[in-house]
Amino acid sequence: MKRNKWVALMLTLVLATAVGCSSNGGGNSNSANELNAPEGETKPVQNAAGKFEPPVTITTARVVGSDYTFIKGEDINNNVHNKWAKDKLGIIIKDLWDTPDNAAYHTKLRLSLTTQDQLPDVFIVQDVNLIADLIQSGKVKDIGEDFENYAPERIKKIYADNSKALNQVKNGTQLMGLPIFSGGDGTNPVLWIRQDWLDKLKLKAPTTIDEFETVMDAFTNQDPDGNGKKDTFGFSFSARNGFSNWMSDASFVFGAYTGKFITGNWQKADDGSLKYGSIQPEIKTGLSKLQEWYKKGYLDPELAALDEVKATESFIQGKSGMIAAPFWALGWPLGDVKGTNPNAKLRAYTLPTGPDGKSARYTGYVNEGKVMMFNKDFKHMDAFFFYLDKIYDNPFETGDFKNGFFEGYDYAMVDGKPVYDPKKFPTPMEKAASSGKYNLFWNTPAIPFQGSANYEYIYKGGEPKTRAHNEILSQDKELIRAGALNYEMTGINAPTEFLGAPTETMRSKGDNLKTMELETFAKIIYGNEPLDKFDTFVTDWKSKGGDQIEKEVNEWYKSVNP
């Protein structure tokens, strides 16, 4: 597709209205569906009900791990979802192969680049290097015109509203895949605090970094657990893989001084170019605070050795009193603190701000790095977008999936109303079937940020009007409050602006630069290097490949933002 055609599409998507579509976006014309019919072969067309005749086959591959739950003797190839797709849509879904974990899955996909193994028609990729290699291989399809021709209007609007995510799969003017959206802010941190410790010490929750420091000092030195021992500290976080983390986060400490930049991310500077957060001058101030706090005993002594989940253990074991983690972490893993202290009370708060009210926090991808790619020989993009739109009936609460996916699997009707607790089904189950994972996308695609907005609506006393509202109402009240706080902090989200594959210099020098960064920052925090070592690090980072990486990143940025 020509460059101006793609640009025009992206500019008009947000203004698009549903024209010539059904209420849930289906209904492609038979003439359009017949355009790509192979010679001598009848192209499947949709009947009046939207079903393809003869049926279309779509092959795929996936990870089928322990998070899948099947009932009634079903499996990934024979289940209620596949039966629905065939009977209702005329789409036969066939798994070419499956693996038990992500590593094996991506290894097998990569092998397909160097062997004659067939790529599935449609498949998920969550490895940025592999995405780049697939694009360069010539084995995957440019879907730009297919998106324009076949995507229903409500699907186009979702992608227009989150258009930056498309940068992950752009190759010049080509669109080489489709991001599959998640909640958008589901891994963003809120501040979880041992409320029982605050109450015991008669403290208020911190709203600023200075107040945060006061609470850390009290949690470290005033025996908040009342055991007569000096065995607690203020704040748990992980620095093993960086400071901007989906769990055990510390990005807000730096964001309190930058107001924009956080470590490990590329953000837009005032001049419009992308800059690397970890080398910005204000990061030094954040490091000075962490160094000071570590010296005073406020932090986990093993912070540089602990990954994101391992770092939660000190909080769960009752050794620390604060941690920055997602709103849902109240259930897992932080809720396990009850096993150590049944009387422990957790409460969520907004993240503390800096001296000038500045703030910024870690923000994950709106699609968590998940994209769907398409075999270059796949001929049924019309069927794919029809299917995608039908799956979106679930988050839109329309059509077949208004109440849930499949009655008796993920919900049941009781007295005319949907029930989602499997123990309350007419035939009770200990655990509901994971039928929302049986689809081609491995999970239910989401409308980004809608979920957290729903939490705020319910927390503020809104009358439940949707299935999502009612599902939230059944959750723990503190979790609902945390979800609302997460939404209220939307203005301090700091997602990375660089969504492309690793650049040439990133591939050759990026690992060494990252190791240098993590080791230098850890040594500064531990007091093994002076704070001014940060200035040396910045100079070394720039001269040892960082400046070239910045140039390449901005070349990419310009290429996807012409």
Side-chain angles (χ1 to χ4, degrees), residues 82-247:
N82 286 10
K83 185 176 187 301
W84 162 82
K86 181 180 179 182
D87 294 347
K88 190 69 178 284
L89 310 183
I91 296 175
I92 298 171
I93 294 174
K94 178 182 178 182
D95 282 32
L96 295 183
W97 48 266
D98 305 312
T99 66
D101 59 68
N102 254 337
Y105 173 83
H106 285 94
T107 296
K108 192 167 178 65
L109 276 183
R110 181 167 288 284
L111 287 173
S112 298
L113 295 179
T114 56
T115 67
Q116 296 303 310
D117 290 350
Q118 178 187 355
L119 280 174
D121 292 329
V122 303
F123 52 97
I124 295 292
V125 190
Q126 293 177 292
D127 179 318
V128 291
N129 289 313
L130 183 54
I131 290 171
D133 291 342
L134 282 161
I135 289 173
Q136 296 304 316
S137 74
K139 292 188 174 185
V140 293
K141 186 180 183 69
D142 171 12
I143 66 165
E145 291 188 0
D146 295 314
F147 183 89
E148 181 179 10
N149 291 335
Y150 300 125
E153 297 305 327
R154 68 177 183 180
I155 299 299
K156 288 180 178 177
K157 185 176 188 310
I158 292 171
Y159 282 89
D161 289 346
N162 301 277
S163 59
K164 286 184 179 180
L166 294 172
N167 290 343
Q168 298 168 81
V169 284
K170 282 185 181 179
N171 183 38
T173 60
Q174 295 178 315
L175 184 65
M176 305 304 294
L178 199 68
I180 303 302
F181 292 129
S182 58
D185 57 358
T187 54
N188 294 17
V190 299
L191 183 64
W192 287 100
I193 305 182
R194 283 288 298 270
Q195 185 65 41
D196 51 320
W197 286 14
L198 283 178
D199 295 342
K200 180 178 183 295
L201 300 178
K202 295 181 172 55
L203 294 169
K204 293 182 179 180
T207 60
T208 67
I209 286 292
D210 287 345
E211 293 173 356
F212 183 67
E213 186 170 329
T214 298
V215 173
M216 281 195 295
D217 184 83
F219 283 0
T220 304
N221 298 310
Q222 295 182 28
D223 192 23
D225 59 358
N227 68 355
K229 300 178 182 178
K230 194 175 186 305
D231 58 356
T232 58
F233 57 90
F235 178 54
S236 294
F237 72 90
S238 166
R240 179 175 176 176
N241 300 311
F243 297 83
S244 304
N245 301 319
W246 69 276
M247 183 75 72

Side-chain angles (χ1 to χ4, degrees), residues 357-474:
K358 292 180 179 178
S359 191
R361 64 171 178 166
Y362 164 83
T363 302
Y365 294 147
V366 291
N367 63 317
E368 297 179 355
K370 180 191 290 185
V371 304
M372 177 151 274
M373 303 189 83
F374 304 84
N375 189 311
K376 67 179 178 62
D377 297 321
F378 180 50
K379 304 297 184 184
H380 303 298
M381 291 301 299
D382 53 347
F384 169 80
F385 280 112
F386 180 61
Y387 170 87
L388 172 64
D389 186 61
K390 291 298 182 182
I391 294 297
Y392 258 104
D393 273 345
N394 184 276
F396 276 109
E397 300 189 19
T398 55
D400 289 347
F401 303 139
K402 180 177 181 179
N403 294 319
F405 274 109
F406 300 102
E407 185 176 355
Y409 287 76
D410 56 301
Y411 77 98
M413 298 301 292
V414 178
D415 297 329
K417 296 182 179 181
V419 171
Y420 303 97
D421 183 347
K423 296 177 182 178
K424 296 180 180 179
F425 286 7
T427 302
M429 295 190 293
E430 187 64 30
K431 188 176 183 181
S434 57
S435 54
K437 297 179 69 65
Y438 301 171
N439 61 61
L440 291 173
F441 314 109
W442 304 2
N443 271 306
T444 308
I447 303 168
F449 307 105
Q450 176 177 279
S452 58
N454 285 336
Y455 275 95
E456 186 197 41
Y457 175 81
I458 292 299
Y459 176 67
K460 290 189 172 181
E463 187 71 23
K465 299 177 181 178
T466 67
R467 182 189 78 235
H469 291 161
N470 284 306
E471 289 175 346
I472 291 171
L473 270 176
S474 68

Side-chain angles (χ1 to χ4, degrees), residues 253-269:
V253 177
F254 299 99
Y257 299 99
T258 68
K260 177 189 295 186
F261 294 99
I262 58 175
T263 61
N265 277 11
W266 291 86
Q267 264 104 22
K268 188 182 291 188

Side-chain angles (χ1 to χ4, degrees), residues 268-558:
K268 188 182 291 188
D270 292 340
D271 64 2
S273 67
L274 298 191
K275 300 291 185 182
Y276 188 53
S278 298
I279 64 168
Q280 302 310 305
E282 299 87 350
I283 296 296
K284 185 176 182 180
T285 308
L287 280 174
S288 72
K289 275 296 178 186
L290 292 174
Q291 183 187 65
E292 175 188 342
W293 295 344
Y294 185 84
K295 184 177 181 180
K296 291 180 177 179
Y298 298 167
L299 308 178
D300 193 322
E302 303 297 325
L303 60 89
L306 304 173
D307 66 25
E308 294 88 338
V309 175
K310 194 73 174 175
T312 66
E313 292 183 2
S314 56
F315 185 88
I316 294 167
Q317 293 165 3
K319 294 179 181 178
S320 78
M322 293 188 287
I323 191 168
F327 76 92
W328 46 260
L330 177 66
W332 176 90
L334 305 184
D336 291 347
V337 70
K338 295 282 188 178
T340 304
N341 184 348
N343 296 318
K345 182 179 179 181
L346 307 188
R347 193 159 175 79
Y349 292 95
T350 55
L351 297 164
T353 61
D356 301 319
K358 292 180 179 178
S359 191
R361 64 171 178 166
Y362 164 83
T363 302
Y365 294 147
V366 291
N367 63 317
E368 297 179 355
K370 180 191 290 185
V371 304
M372 177 151 274
M373 303 189 83
F374 304 84
N375 189 311
K376 67 179 178 62
D377 297 321
F378 180 50
K379 304 297 184 184
H380 303 298
M381 291 301 299
D382 53 347
F384 169 80
F385 280 112
F386 180 61
Y387 170 87
L388 172 64
D389 186 61
K390 291 298 182 182
I391 294 297
Y392 258 104
D393 273 345
N394 184 276
F396 276 109
E397 300 189 19
T398 55
D400 289 347
F401 303 139
K402 180 177 181 179
N403 294 319
F405 274 109
F406 300 102
E407 185 176 355
Y409 287 76
D410 56 301
Y411 77 98
M413 298 301 292
V414 178
D415 297 329
K417 296 182 179 181
V419 171
Y420 303 97
D421 183 347
K423 296 177 182 178
K424 296 180 180 179
F425 286 7
T427 302
M429 295 190 293
E430 187 64 30
K431 188 176 183 181
S434 57
S435 54
K437 297 179 69 65
Y438 301 171
N439 61 61
L440 291 173
F441 314 109
W442 304 2
N443 271 306
T444 308
I447 303 168
F449 307 105
Q450 176 177 279
S452 58
N454 285 336
Y455 275 95
E456 186 197 41
Y457 175 81
I458 292 299
Y459 176 67
K460 290 189 172 181
E463 187 71 23
K465 299 177 181 178
T466 67
R467 182 189 78 235
H469 291 161
N470 284 306
E471 289 175 346
I472 291 171
L473 270 176
S474 68
Q475 297 174 3
D476 185 285
K477 290 182 178 180
E478 188 55 36
L479 191 150
I480 296 172
R481 180 174 175 274
L485 294 177
N486 181 46
Y487 183 75
E488 289 174 13
M489 288 190 286
T490 298
I492 65 168
N493 291 349
T496 187
E497 295 278 353
F498 177 66
L499 301 173
T503 68
E504 180 180 351
T505 309
M506 278 182 180
R507 291 195 181 206
S508 62
K509 299 181 179 181
D511 287 346
N512 289 338
L513 291 176
K514 189 64 177 179
T515 298
M516 179 175 68
E517 175 184 330
L518 294 177
E519 289 180 351
T520 301
F521 285 17
K523 288 177 179 178
I524 290 173
I525 293 169
Y526 284 161
N528 296 328
E529 291 282 5
L531 182 61
D532 285 345
K533 184 67 175 178
F534 173 80
D535 302 320
T536 304
F537 155 73
V538 172
T539 299
D540 289 345
W541 185 90
K542 291 169 71 67
S543 65
K544 294 181 178 180
D547 277 345
Q548 181 61 27
I549 289 174
E550 182 178 314
K551 178 182 177 183
E552 293 167 357
V553 164
N554 280 284
E555 287 173 350
W556 167 87
Y557 191 64
K558 290 177 182 178

